Structures are given as structure tokens and as C-alpha cells.
């Protein structure tokens, strides 16, 4: 999953889930209520709910915990397959309500955008870019929030308010990567970002780009409270 990270037990990040397709890990996600998971829209764009499931409460994506079927996928209304980076968010409804415990908990949603320099924790089961670090178990790393201006300069394109960026801008080495998409970026116990896209993984000069949770809070609340 994570490049430049460390192993972490699910009890330390009990909101983390593995979104799976045909029983294999595809993306990350976060528990935001007893029946809803927040993930990246590009992870669920196939729309085959009968092929999706979610493993919760396990440090391993291939075993342990519980596996629940997905009954509904709701895309952000401004998401488009023509530009999959814009509003790259979807909500996944589970077949039945979760019973919370030390390894299964919902995460609070950030109401405001994090300040530049704030350290966030990103976790997942994606590519590690290392033959010595297995992605069979959950991994995590700490990355600082980068200003939108600096992120826009790095990518040579405007980063809109629907996105936030995090990473060691001129150093690289720590980042989310393939199959971490949809996973959580957390600061002070609140979900601030959803892994979305970036140039490569952990490359100097290119921070990771995340969907901005605070920017879509109304949509999330309206959808899960229907």
C-alpha cells in the first residue's frame, strides 16, 4: 500500500476498510456510519454492486474480520468519468449495520480544511514499492498538508477546492500508492481527505492529491441520512 510507511494494527485505524471486487482487494475506504463507507469514485466506477464487498476489522486485506456485501453505490453528483479526478468520491452502502468494537469504528468527518503543515496519517494495503515490505498487512505513513498554491505549481494546473494535497513536496519518499485509492487521510481523529491521484508514488516534487472531505460534507450527510 503505502510507500515509506510502517505496519499498523487495525485497532489503531479501526475506520479503515478494504473495498474488494470478486473477493480481491481493490481500494481502501473509511467507515463513516454504521452502514456507509466513503471511498473514491474511480474505485467503484464499474458500478457492479454484486461484485463489490468490504472487509472490515482486519489488519489483513485477505483474511480476518468480517466481509459484508455492498448493496448500493452513490457517486458524487459532480463526478465524471471524463475527468475522474474531480469530486472523486462515492458512498458505499453495506448490506446490514455494523456492530462497532475496538477494531471497527466510524471516523468523524472534518468540517474545515486542514492547515498547511498539519501532519496527517494515510493508511492502506496498496503498493509499497519495496520487495521487503509486504502489502498483505495494513501499513501507514505520516504526510504533511501542502498548500493548494504549492500543489498547483507542482502539477502545473490549478488544484480546486474539492482537493487537498499532502506529502513531502521536495523530498518525496512517503506517499499513498496504487490500491490505496479511496483510503483515509486523517488529522486529529478526523477524516480530512480521500486518496485520489498523484504523479507516480512518493516522487519528489509531486505531493499526493486527495478529495477534500470538508468540501462535500453536505452531500455526504444528505446521502447517508436519507
Amino acid at each position: 500500500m503505502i510507500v515509506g510507511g510502517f505496519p499498523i494494527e487495525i485497532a489503531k485505524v479501526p475506520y479503515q476498510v478494504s473495498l474488494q471486487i470478486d473477493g480481491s482487494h481493490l481500494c481502501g475506504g473509511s467507515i463513516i456510519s454504521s452502514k456507509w463507507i466513503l471511498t473514491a469514485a474511480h474505485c467503484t466506477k464499474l458500478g457492479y454492486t454484486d461484485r463489490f464487498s468490504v472487509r472490515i476489522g482486519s489488519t489483513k486485506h485477505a483474511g480476518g474480520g468480517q466481509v459484508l456485501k455492498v448493496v448500493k453505490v452513490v457517486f458524487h453528483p459532480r463526478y465524471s468519468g471524463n475527468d475522474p479526478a474531480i469530486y472523486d468520491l462515492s458512498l458505499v452502502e453495506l448490506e446490514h449495520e455494523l456492530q462497532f468494537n475496538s477494531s471497527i469504528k466510524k471516523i468523524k468527518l472534518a468540517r474545515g480544511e486542514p492547515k498547511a503543515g498539519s501532519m496527517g496519517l494515510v493508511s492502506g494495503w496498496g503498493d509499497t514499492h519495496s520487495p521487503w515490505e509486504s502489502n498483505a498487512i495494513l501499513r501507514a505513513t505520516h504526510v504533511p498538508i501542502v498548500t493548494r498554491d504549492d500543489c498547483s505549481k507542482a502539477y502545473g494546473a490549478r488544484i480546486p477546492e474539492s482537493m487537498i494535497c499532502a506529502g513531502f513536496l521536495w523530498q518525496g519518499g512517503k506517499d499513498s500508492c496504487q490500491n490505496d485509492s479511496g483510503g483515509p487521510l486523517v488529522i486529529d481523529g478526523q477524516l480530512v481527505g480521500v486518496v485520489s491521484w498523484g504523479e507516480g508514488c512518493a516522487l519528489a516534487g509531486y505531493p499526493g492529491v486527495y478529495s477534500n472531505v470538508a468540501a462535500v460534507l453536505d452531500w455526504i450527510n444528505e446521502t447517508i441520512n436519507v
Side-chain angles (χ1 to χ4, degrees), residues 99-150:
Q99 299 297 314
F100 296 138
N101 57 42
S102 61
S103 297
I104 303 172
K105 294 181 181 178
K106 66 179 180 179
I107 181 85
K108 292 181 180 179
L109 303 176
R111 303 188 68 85
E113 192 169 313
K115 295 180 179 179
S118 302
M119 292 299 291
L121 181 73
V122 58
S123 51
W125 289 276
D127 196 344
T128 66
H129 278 206
S130 168
W132 301 282
E133 296 175 343
S134 171
N135 62 355
I137 60 172
L138 191 60
R139 299 180 70 84
T141 195
H142 296 283
V143 286
I145 298 296
V146 174
T147 68
R148 191 166 281 108
D149 284 347
D150 283 345

Side-chain angles (χ1 to χ4, degrees), residues 145-216:
I145 298 296
V146 174
T147 68
R148 191 166 281 108
D149 284 347
D150 283 345
C151 194
S152 296
K153 291 174 184 176
Y155 282 101
R158 188 180 75 86
I159 300 296
E161 292 185 2
S162 62
M163 304 175 193
I164 56 175
C165 303
F168 293 91
L169 189 55
W170 306 119
Q171 174 184 340
K174 296 183 179 183
D175 197 5
S176 53
C177 201
Q178 282 78 26
N179 296 117
D180 286 323
S181 292
L185 176 65
V186 173
I187 296 178
D188 295 332
Q190 297 185 340
L191 184 66
V192 300
V194 173
V195 179
S196 182
W197 63 279
E199 179 66 32
C201 302
L203 296 179
Y206 294 100
V209 185
Y210 301 75
S211 293
N212 183 1
V213 170
V216 295

